[in-house]
Amino acid sequence: MSKRLHNILDHISSGKGESKEMKDLKQRLALATLTAQFTISPERLKEMVYFMIHEMHEGLAGKKSTLRMLPSFVYKKHTASADGVYYALDLGGTNFRVIRMLIRQGELISTSSSQFTIPIEHMKGTVDGLFGFIATSVLKFITEKAPDDNKKGYSRTIPLGFTFSFPVKQMSLNSGSLIEWTKGFTTTGVQGEDVVRLLQQALDKTAVDMKVVALCNDTVGTLIARYFRDEHAQMGVILGTGANACYWEKSSAVVKDPNVQKEGQRETVINMEFGNFDSQCVHCLPVTVFDDIVDKASPNVGAQRFEKLISGMYLGEISRVILVSLSKNGLLAKSVADRLEKPYSFESRDSGLISADRLPGLNFTRNLLLEKFGINLQDSSDLYLIRNICVLVRNRAAQLAGMAIAATLLKAEKTGNATIAVDGSVYEKTPSFRAVLINTIRAILGEEADVRLVLQKEGSGHGAGFIAALA
Ligand code: BGC
């Protein structure tokens, strides 16, 4: 369907000497075409909900599924037994965080943390470079902020929880191998390896006296951080550079892993890796030709197709590809294509902020395009078209994220009194994203559902510390 619609767009190029009326008409036609492609009907949402539940069942059973449904080996437990000093390392994107946590009877008493930017040569370099950088950053943190923590014979070997926010096949709470990189990482020598072992070796080499006792995904950390304060926390969701969710599932449902399944009714956290939903066949995702362009140029072609529609790594890029395409067809000023030629130059933050511009004359959009990209637009109809495209990209992402949350709650039968812990820049910083997300969840689950979304800042790291404390 999207191909035929795109053909209309190919037909409606506009050239020099054309009247203003005709250009306006063509811009409206282009927007109507894009709206038809990017807006998801309630029927389509319902279809996706059922397909997602289907994939959850298949993934848990170990059958072919686009959802990996990975066991976390974190089980529901009373939180009061957690006590002492713990460290958490949080690696999931370009930033890496070291966190020191003091916990007393399940209460987080104090924290301190430092953030380090992972140099691009380590994101795309070798295993030794990446893990060496991590270990050195931990040593730097300890030396500057808590030197006693690393004194031999003075303190105990400190337990550490490692949040590693990529698809990992866990063998136990403290071992798991990377299935494949996402979010632009391509570091060699990590795929298929136990990332706990790699981290422990790097720490030992750097003379950091810590033991990695737990490994978790950022969604799992986010859920557990909330669960320590709120026993109704049912899901952890990340809507940031990447996108994913986890939830509490009955161990008996994890048919593919007898070690988990034997725990019976005890609830355990499942990392869905929903970013890969519907990737292989693209049965029901509203994928357009613009999404195909973004996918084809990514390092993981054909994978994470759902993530590529909803996460912060891609939203700006989708908008950019559309804007450049319209500009090349004469439907937007030529300078748009000239100035936005470079992939990923138009960030999701730009796209999100423009989507929220409601000022008459769209002066915010005008200034942003001028100041950041040197695009000086005279024609206000160009500004409106650009703003509306950013709205379409944003709303589709929020609708899809809402669909995934609703589907998970339906599968888990947790639509009453449910707290959803959410973190990530797209959720936190994109204006109106949350409103569209919550409206979609309500539309799918009905008014009687009782679902609260809470922003769980830094949950991914803190959760790893809590999991280490319970280990
Ligand atoms: C990864 C997930 C992660 C998510 C959010 C995705 O690209 O595959 O493991 O939870 O990003 O950071």
Side-chain angles (χ1 to χ4, degrees):
M1 183 167 77
S2 62
K3 285 240 159 49
R4 273 172 48 201
L5 286 164
H6 186 65
N7 283 342
I8 297 183
L9 280 181
D10 280 344
H11 275 304
I12 48 172
S13 56
S14 174
K16 269 212 171 83
E18 200 165 57
S19 70
K20 174 87 178 89
E21 284 73 21
M22 202 53 196
K23 187 184 167 205
D24 283 354
L25 172 68
K26 287 181 176 176
Q27 284 190 330
R28 274 191 224 127
L29 177 54
L31 183 63
T33 306
L34 289 167
T35 306
Q37 294 181 44
F38 276 81
T39 313
I40 315 171
S41 69
E43 292 74 24
R44 188 85 179 268
L45 279 173
K46 212 174 269 174
E47 185 192 12
M48 282 187 251
V49 164
Y50 290 125
F51 189 47
M52 185 167 262
I53 296 175
H54 171 272
E55 294 293 86
M56 291 176 80
H57 279 283
E58 300 287 277
L60 287 171
K63 295 187 184 156
K64 192 165 175 277
S65 169
T66 54
L67 295 180
R68 292 200 175 90
M69 307 300 285
L70 302 167
S72 67
F73 298 89
V74 174
Y75 293 92
K76 248 187 199 174
K77 225 184 207 174
H78 286 298
T79 55
S81 55
D83 212 77
V85 168
Y86 297 89
Y87 271 68
L89 304 189
D90 191 356
L91 174 69
T94 42
N95 290 325
F96 157 69
R97 272 160 44 83
V98 183
I99 307 158
R100 181 185 195 270
M101 298 165 62
L102 175 63
I103 302 172
R104 288 274 171 258
Q105 287 164 358
E107 288 276 325
L108 184 57
I109 304 296
S110 64
T111 61
S112 58
S113 67
S114 287
Q115 184 156 302
F116 301 86
T117 303
I118 305 204
I120 189 88
E121 68 260 29
H122 294 322
M123 279 178 72
K124 300 191 182 285
T126 63
V127 56
D128 291 342
L130 179 63
F131 281 85
F133 174 80
I134 292 174
T136 316
S137 306
V138 178
L139 185 62
K140 187 161 183 274
F141 174 92
I142 296 179
T143 312
E144 283 169 13
K145 301 213 169 165
D148 283 352
D149 288 353
N150 205 30
K151 270 192 196 147
K152 280 255 177 284
Y154 181 80
S155 58
R156 75 202 209 283
T157 298
I158 292 185
L160 179 151
F162 183 29
T163 306
F164 184 74
S165 307
F166 300 93
V168 164
K169 183 174 175 357
Q170 269 185 251
M171 284 75 83
S172 64
L173 186 61
N174 66 348
S175 66
S177 58
L178 173 66
I179 300 172
E180 64 185 2
W181 285 119
T182 58
K183 297 178 279 197
F185 275 71
T186 52
T187 316
T188 55
V190 188
Q191 207 165 308
E193 298 298 321
D194 179 358
V195 292
V196 171
R197 186 181 54 80
L198 295 176
L199 174 61
Q200 189 67 61
Q201 279 172 355
L203 291 171
D204 294 347
K205 231 193 212 162
T206 319
V208 173
D209 189 17
M210 287 187 189
K211 179 156 171 47
V212 191
V213 296
L215 170 68
C216 73
N217 185 257
D218 51 356
T219 57
V220 180
T222 301
L223 172 59
I224 296 303
R226 188 74 208 169
Y227 180 68
F228 263 70
R229 292 168 51 185
D230 174 0
E231 60 175 9
H232 300 295
Q234 303 294 4
M235 283 183 78
V237 179
I238 300 289
L239 299 169
T241 308
N244 187 16
C246 71
Y247 71 107
W248 290 113
E249 177 61 274
K250 283 196 280 302
S251 299
S252 57
V254 190
V255 177
K256 67 177 164 189
D257 191 330
N259 283 327
V260 182
Q261 193 188 18
K262 74 175 183 332
E263 298 293 325
Q265 292 301 302
R266 214 173 148 202
E267 288 190 293
T268 186
V269 181
I270 299 295
N271 166 17
M272 297 168 66
E273 287 295 334
F274 78 23
N276 198 51
F277 174 56
D278 198 21
S279 276
Q280 276 138 23
C281 325
V282 197
H283 281 311
C284 62
L285 289 180
V287 169
T288 68
V289 283
F290 307 106
D291 301 299
D292 286 340
I293 293 172
V294 173
D295 176 48
K296 294 244 159 62
S298 70
N300 54 349
V301 184
Q304 300 290 105
R305 292 304 303 262
F306 188 63
E307 176 168 83
K308 287 173 185 162
L309 305 182
I310 70 172
S311 85
M313 175 122 192
Y314 306 100
L315 294 185
E317 179 63 1
I318 301 167
S319 304
R320 188 194 69 84
V321 169
I322 302 171
L323 298 182
V324 168
S325 158
L326 294 188
S327 164
K328 285 191 171 155
N329 280 350
L331 294 165
L332 284 171
K334 184 171 169 302
S335 58
V336 173
D338 293 345
R339 299 299 176 118
L340 293 181
E341 208 185 350
K342 194 168 161 245
Y344 293 90
S345 54
F346 191 66
E347 293 174 81
S348 296
R349 207 163 56 103
D350 303 323
S351 181
L353 290 173
I354 289 177
S355 75
D357 190 359
R358 294 204 185 87
L359 294 175
L362 298 186
N363 276 335
F364 175 84
T365 303
R366 187 190 296 275
N367 290 339
L368 188 144
L369 292 173
L370 182 62
E371 280 160 24
K372 188 157 174 192
F373 301 102
I375 301 171
N376 189 1
L377 292 178
Q378 305 300 331
D379 211 338
S380 65
S381 69
D382 280 13
L383 291 170
Y384 280 95
L385 184 54
I386 292 173
R387 194 271 318 266
N388 290 341
I389 286 166
C390 294
V391 169
L392 287 177
V393 171
R394 175 198 73 194
N395 286 0
R396 183 185 65 169
Q399 273 193 300
L400 289 172
M403 176 286 294
I405 293 173
T408 309
L409 291 173
L410 283 171
K411 157 73 181 78
E413 298 175 18
K414 301 263 176 58
T415 57
N417 198 4
T419 305
I420 316 293
V422 196
D423 197 6
S425 52
V426 171
Y427 175 78
E428 190 190 2
K429 303 216 171 101
T430 311
S432 301
F433 190 92
R434 187 177 182 281
V436 179
L437 179 71
I438 194 96
N439 285 344
T440 308
I441 296 174
R442 287 215 182 101
I444 295 171
L445 297 182
E447 285 306 318
E448 61 282 6
D450 179 11
V451 177
R452 293 168 299 279
L453 296 181
V454 295
L455 177 67
Q456 189 67 36
K457 289 280 309 158
E458 291 163 21
S460 53
H462 288 170
F466 284 126
I467 294 169
L470 291 177

